[in-house]
Amino acid sequence: VYAQEQPAALIRAPGMRLLSSWMCRAHCHRLIKLSGTLGKFAPEKELVENVHGVRRTFLDVGKELKVKLTSADGDTDPVFGPDAEPTVYFIGKMLWSKGLNSLMDLMKYAEESAGLKVKVDMYGGGPNKDEASAKAVKMGLDMPFHGPIDHSELAWTHKVFVNPSLSEVLCTTVAEALAMGKFVVLPSHPSNDFFAQFPNCLPYTNKEEFVGNLYYALTHSPEPLTEEYSYALSWEAATERFAAAGSVSVAEAEAMEEALTSAEAGIDIVLPPLTTNEERRKQITKTFRRTRGRYRNFRAKLSQEIAETSLLPKELQRRLIAELDNRLDVDLDELLSSPKLRVKLSPAKLDKLLLELYNNVAQGPSGDVFRVIGGGANVGRQHQYLKRQKSKPSKMEFDISLISDANDDSTPTNLVKRALKRNFPQGKQKQKTASSLKSALSDTPPSNRIERETPKMSLRCSGVNPRPLSWNLRIVQHSSFVPYRPNPPKYSPLI
């Protein structure tokens, strides 16, 4: 559903559906859907069950209201009594997709057709709040927008909850309102099937039924919530329903294992209809049947000629005739309405092939295109930036040929001498040559030598094309060495 609202939805939505179906069939023993609004991914494994509950706060309010309604003063309650002042509200995200337009049209119709001009308090925040408020004023509706609020704070202030949304999977605010013992007026929709069993739930299928249900709720007291209905909305009952729905019998598990380990193991994936136009479907079916009839006549004549010829061996004649007699029996109407993709692979093998396909595509030249389609332009640009940064030459990369001096013997000994001459500490010792330093060190006993830290040194370029002195390079002209890129220390490292 959400993929259809994203960029490249034409490709993204079917792709995500197909991938979800593969994953569900490969790795799930049971799929539990909160309502029938969700699509079908593995019909043989799916169950529809409400495994959602409400807070204890709402159930406690329902129990208190039950006591109040069953008391002697229940009919005269200023909020929940049959003659009480109308108190209607809506709570939810302020989005047009939540049915705000529908709610305004229904309330306007109730006012014009039955004279029910009722104030509807709107609670909740969202990006369309200001627009919806302006439209309500323009339509002349008494519909103030109050902003976000905790639902439990409306426990004793309103009697009727109206929720016209058709975009829900399972509306938790409906469950909360029913748990508090309120009337709930909502559309007849798969997302509301679980709530239809409650006596205070008033579903409607058209505008006339909405007006009738609203009038009934305004002129009656809610039915006190029984222990059975109260428990059905609790998290304890939801957990029990979840355990029951998720259980897999031994027989079912054995049948599934046998199916997956057989030589014919595979996966059937239901695809969207190829065409929804009935006239187009009939036209395709008629053309296909005419073509198939002509092809079958051709095969029959060819089979007769093969049987009459004496040029081919008898065994080859028999095999050719048997193949030509095979017919492709296809129910074209079923194929067009609900096509299926048959993948003759085990789930584990399918996962492996899908991973290999993803790696090949993602790392190939077309990977950026699929990233833009699957993740949006931002993901594509980010990956392009990382590729450019990776392809940039590093500052430590250099050409050894630029350092070589045509008139200089770049032997390891000379390289070390140049490094000592360049990096030796400043002062009187700077004037010493590398040879005199070596002689002095060799003539001095180890006990009389000055103990100090040996400075770390490296080579810099010298010759025809020297590099800038700011480049501290470590150069080893030996085939077994590779360029080394250390973090720049206080002193450049010695070879």
Side-chain angles (χ1 to χ4, degrees):
V1 176
Y2 298 106
Q4 296 176 357
E5 302 175 359
Q6 301 297 324
L10 185 63
I11 301 176
R12 180 182 297 185
M16 291 183 65
R17 179 182 177 85
L18 187 62
L19 187 61
S20 298
S21 180
W22 276 342
M23 293 302 101
C24 291
R25 290 177 180 276
H27 301 292
C28 297
H29 293 87
R30 179 77 72 217
L31 295 179
I32 304 175
K33 302 191 295 186
L34 288 176
S35 69
T37 58
L38 298 174
K40 294 183 179 180
F41 299 101
E44 71 280 1
K45 299 180 179 182
E46 293 178 357
L47 284 178
V48 177
E49 188 64 77
N50 175 19
V51 293
H52 201 286
V54 300
R55 299 199 319 253
R56 178 60 57 184
T57 306
F58 301 106
L59 298 175
D60 293 340
V61 171
K63 293 179 180 179
E64 293 181 27
L65 181 60
K66 176 183 177 181
V67 175
K68 181 181 291 190
L69 292 176
T70 54
S71 65
D73 301 331
D75 292 339
T76 60
D77 189 89
V79 176
F80 296 95
D83 300 325
E85 190 72 18
T87 51
V88 183
Y89 75 101
F90 167 85
I91 184 170
K93 193 78 171 178
M94 291 301 164
L95 296 171
W96 293 119
S97 59
K98 295 295 183 180
L100 299 181
N101 264 325
S102 177
L103 178 58
M104 295 179 188
D105 293 339
L106 290 171
M107 296 308 300
K108 192 66 176 178
Y109 181 79
E111 179 183 344
E112 294 175 350
S113 62
L116 289 177
K117 186 173 178 61
V118 182
K119 175 184 176 182
V120 181
D121 292 308
M122 307 291 288
Y123 295 96
N128 302 132
K129 176 185 174 183
D130 295 336
E131 297 177 18
S133 179
K135 182 175 181 180
V137 173
K138 185 178 180 180
M139 295 177 65
L141 297 173
D142 189 2
M143 190 175 287
F145 286 73
H146 303 286
I149 191 175
D150 190 277
H151 199 177
S152 61
E153 297 183 22
L154 305 176
W156 306 105
T157 59
H158 295 78
K159 182 172 69 170
V160 183
F161 172 49
V162 179
N163 179 37
S165 177
L166 297 176
S167 62
E168 308 287 347
V169 176
L170 185 78
C171 187
T172 55
T173 54
V174 171
E176 293 167 356
L178 289 173
M180 290 189 289
K182 300 179 183 295
F183 278 120
V184 177
V185 182
L186 42 70
S188 182
H189 188 258
S191 62
N192 299 322
D193 286 346
F194 175 80
F195 305 123
Q197 61 180 308
F198 293 85
N200 292 328
C201 181
L202 306 176
Y204 64 88
T205 57
N206 50 50
K207 293 182 178 181
E208 290 74 18
E209 289 186 6
F210 170 81
V211 175
N213 290 344
L214 180 61
Y215 180 78
Y216 177 86
L218 293 176
T219 57
H220 291 76
S221 294
E223 288 288 332
L225 198 64
T226 63
E227 291 293 334
E228 180 184 358
Y229 286 127
S230 179
Y231 182 76
L233 294 170
S234 66
W235 275 110
E236 290 80 5
T239 304
E240 292 177 1
R241 292 193 297 268
F242 177 74
S247 62
V248 179
S249 64
V250 176
E252 186 178 357
E254 292 176 351
M256 181 65 67
E257 183 179 1
E258 181 181 356
L260 293 178
T261 56
S262 66
E264 299 295 326
I267 297 176
D268 287 334
I269 300 174
V270 180
L271 301 177
L274 298 180
T275 178
T276 57
N277 190 316
E278 189 65 27
E279 293 297 328
R280 177 61 177 164
R281 183 181 302 175
K282 291 180 179 179
Q283 183 180 1
I284 295 175
T285 304
K286 183 178 180 180
T287 303
F288 179 82
R289 288 172 178 169
R290 187 186 303 116
T291 303
R292 184 169 58 181
R294 293 172 180 173
Y295 180 63
R296 285 179 175 177
N297 291 334
F298 166 75
R299 288 192 308 174
K301 293 181 179 180
L302 181 60
S303 178
Q304 182 180 359
E305 292 180 3
I306 292 176
E308 293 175 355
T309 184
S310 58
L311 298 178
L312 298 176
K314 294 295 182 181
E315 178 62 22
L316 182 58
Q317 281 185 355
R318 185 187 64 78
R319 293 176 60 184
L320 288 175
I321 294 174
E323 289 296 329
L324 290 173
D325 287 341
N326 291 332
R327 291 190 175 187
L328 180 62
D329 295 322
V330 179
D331 188 347
L332 195 60
D333 292 329
E334 181 181 357
L335 177 64
L336 294 176
S337 60
S338 59
K340 293 182 180 179
L341 176 63
R342 176 68 176 176
V343 183
K344 297 191 66 175
L345 294 172
S346 66
K349 183 66 174 179
L350 178 61
D351 287 351
K352 181 180 178 182
L353 294 178
L354 285 175
L355 184 59
E356 292 177 355
L357 174 63
Y358 172 79
N359 291 333
N360 293 335
V361 172
Q363 298 173 6
S366 60
D368 293 326
V369 178
F370 284 95
R371 286 186 188 89
V372 173
I373 294 174
N378 292 335
V379 176
R381 284 196 293 266
Q382 180 184 14
H383 189 261
Q384 285 282 5
Y385 171 78
L386 294 176
K387 286 176 62 177
R388 287 196 300 268
Q389 292 298 110
K390 187 177 180 180
S391 63
K392 286 183 179 179
S394 174
K395 293 183 178 180
M396 296 300 296
E397 294 180 358
F398 54 89
D399 188 359
I400 296 295
S401 62
L402 297 177
I403 305 174
S404 302
D405 191 349
N407 300 323
D408 185 23
D409 184 15
S410 298
T411 61
T413 303
N414 290 335
L415 293 174
V416 171
K417 288 180 179 180
R418 287 204 298 269
L420 292 172
K421 183 177 180 180
R422 182 179 66 252
N423 293 289
F424 208 78
Q426 300 293 328
K428 296 181 179 181
Q429 294 180 348
K430 183 179 179 180
Q431 300 175 357
K432 294 183 179 181
T433 61
S435 59
S436 61
L437 175 63
K438 181 178 180 181
S439 175
L441 292 176
S442 61
D443 296 338
T444 305
S447 59
N448 297 333
R449 294 178 186 174
I450 301 175
E451 295 293 334
R452 63 182 180 84
E453 182 182 357
T454 304
K456 298 179 180 179
M457 299 174 254
S458 67
L459 292 179
R460 285 202 182 97
C461 313
S462 63
V464 179
N465 296 315
R467 290 290 186 182
L469 296 180
S470 61
W471 286 28
N472 297 331
L473 306 178
R474 181 177 186 271
I475 307 169
V476 178
Q477 292 187 335
H478 196 283
S479 59
S480 63
F481 285 17
V482 295
Y484 176 66
R485 303 173 185 173
N487 295 326
K490 182 176 180 181
Y491 297 97
S492 299
L494 182 64
I495 292 181

